[in-house]
Amino acid sequence: MEKIPAHIAIIMDGNGRWAKAQGKDRCDGHIEGVVSVKACIKAALKRGVRYLTLYAFSTENWGRPQAEVDALMQLFCASVTKETPELVEQGVQVRIIGRRDRFSEEVRERLLHIEESTAGGNKLTLVLAFDYSSKDELVRATRKVAEMVQNGKLKAEEIDDKIISAHLDTADMPDPDLIIRTSGECRLSNFMLWQASYAEMYFPQTMWPDFREEAFDKALEVYSERERRYGLL
Ligand code: FPP
């Protein structure tokens, strides 16, 4: 493979449709989706991808039926706890982006625990977007920058794209080179709108629970054939 993206961000979509097609409950799709998460982490490590961002729960997902929200929260808690030792062994550092204030104390603690336990990982940064949306992130960043102006720490005319980037949840991470959304939907749904400026997009038909190593490698192959010009000739 010629060009390996430093940062791949994935909108994991299609768990519900996958489950329905199998005559199963939607939550079975999410459970099978965790197997794909593990497969993609392994594939990313194998191929030398440095950052892997996964959109696990959007700010809009709170509007799903309470039973599904509860099941997802339980799945996150169980998965992050169960997988922490293996992630440490693999050299994976976990970072969480999004809001924290709407989670239960238990979820907040587990998220903090996985971040602290994996802080020494230096092979792959796994960025989990939980209660994340891009507009919410931009609003929070804008408030922080406005406060700096209000407190006289920054002049309005000094605000540039670097200042904005530095106040996003993704500060000090490279922008994604490749954004993948599974299940054939072709939209970003409030995900990394600022960071996506020059990302390549890939929308495979594969449902997330079927997105394993082979599908990951196919995405790398598609990316390596793209020509990125960044607005130049
Ligand atoms: C979208 O599919 C998927 C989600 C809202 C949840 C994704 C979560 C996981 C795969 C679990 C990941 C766990 C960790 C610890 C990262 P959908 O339900 O919208 O599918 P549909 O469009 O077919 O209904």
Side-chain angles (χ1 to χ4, degrees):
M1 212 84 71
E2 243 177 73
K3 291 183 289 179
I4 296 289
H7 185 175
I8 299 181
I10 309 182
I11 303 173
M12 307 181 286
D13 199 8
N15 293 352
R17 276 163 285 165
W18 179 92
K20 198 175 167 203
Q22 319 265 325
K24 294 183 175 172
D25 187 75
R26 290 181 57 78
C27 294
D28 293 324
H30 298 317
I31 292 168
E32 198 59 26
V34 175
V35 183
S36 295
V37 167
K38 292 182 66 180
C40 287
I41 293 170
K42 265 203 190 126
L45 282 162
K46 201 159 148 186
R47 303 289 174 215
V49 173
R50 302 294 304 179
Y51 289 81
L52 177 66
T53 297
L54 302 176
Y55 201 7
F57 193 85
S58 76
T59 56
E60 289 81 18
N61 285 153
W62 291 110
R64 291 194 176 196
Q66 194 57 42
E68 186 171 342
V69 171
D70 291 345
L72 277 169
M73 292 300 147
Q74 268 178 23
L75 186 61
F76 297 147
C77 282
S79 310
V80 296
T81 305
K82 182 163 173 270
E83 302 306 331
T84 298
E86 191 176 346
L87 292 170
V88 171
E89 207 172 289
Q90 289 170 316
V92 176
Q93 180 184 145
V94 176
R95 281 185 56 176
I96 315 283
I97 59 170
R99 294 172 61 156
R100 303 273 172 115
D101 57 312
R102 298 193 285 190
F103 288 125
S104 68
E105 192 62 30
E106 189 200 355
V107 174
R108 257 202 301 274
E109 271 171 21
R110 302 245 192 164
L111 297 182
L112 198 62
H113 180 255
I114 195 172
E115 281 184 305
E116 286 172 358
S117 312
T118 62
N122 59 9
K123 293 205 168 66
L124 170 73
T125 302
L126 174 66
V127 184
L128 299 178
F130 281 131
D131 198 6
Y132 173 89
S133 83
S134 196
K135 286 189 178 179
D136 179 74
E137 178 191 36
L138 280 161
V139 168
R140 286 185 285 109
T142 305
R143 286 191 186 140
K144 286 184 222 158
V145 175
E147 259 172 44
M148 289 170 73
V149 174
Q150 207 168 28
N151 298 336
K153 289 189 184 137
L154 187 74
K155 292 195 184 97
E157 59 271 26
E158 286 169 345
I159 299 172
D160 58 11
D161 66 333
K162 287 192 182 64
I163 300 266
I164 307 281
S165 293
H167 289 85
L168 296 174
D169 297 347
T170 51
D172 73 46
M173 293 180 202
D175 285 344
D177 301 292
L178 173 64
I179 295 182
I180 301 169
R181 182 177 189 147
T182 56
S183 87
E185 306 287 357
C186 303
R187 55 181 175 266
L188 286 179
S189 300
N190 219 346
F191 180 63
M192 291 208 157
L193 303 179
W194 174 277
Q195 298 89 336
S197 309
Y198 280 101
E200 293 295 323
M201 306 284 166
Y202 175 52
F203 301 112
Q205 294 296 321
T206 321
M207 299 293 156
W208 177 250
D210 289 328
F211 197 87
R212 302 281 160 89
E213 185 174 359
E214 201 180 315
F216 189 92
D217 280 347
K218 173 72 188 163
L220 290 182
E221 194 185 312
V222 168
Y223 175 81
S224 77
E225 284 159 7
R226 300 271 174 91
E227 189 194 349
R228 303 179 76 190
R229 291 197 295 276
Y230 301 96
L232 306 173
L233 297 179

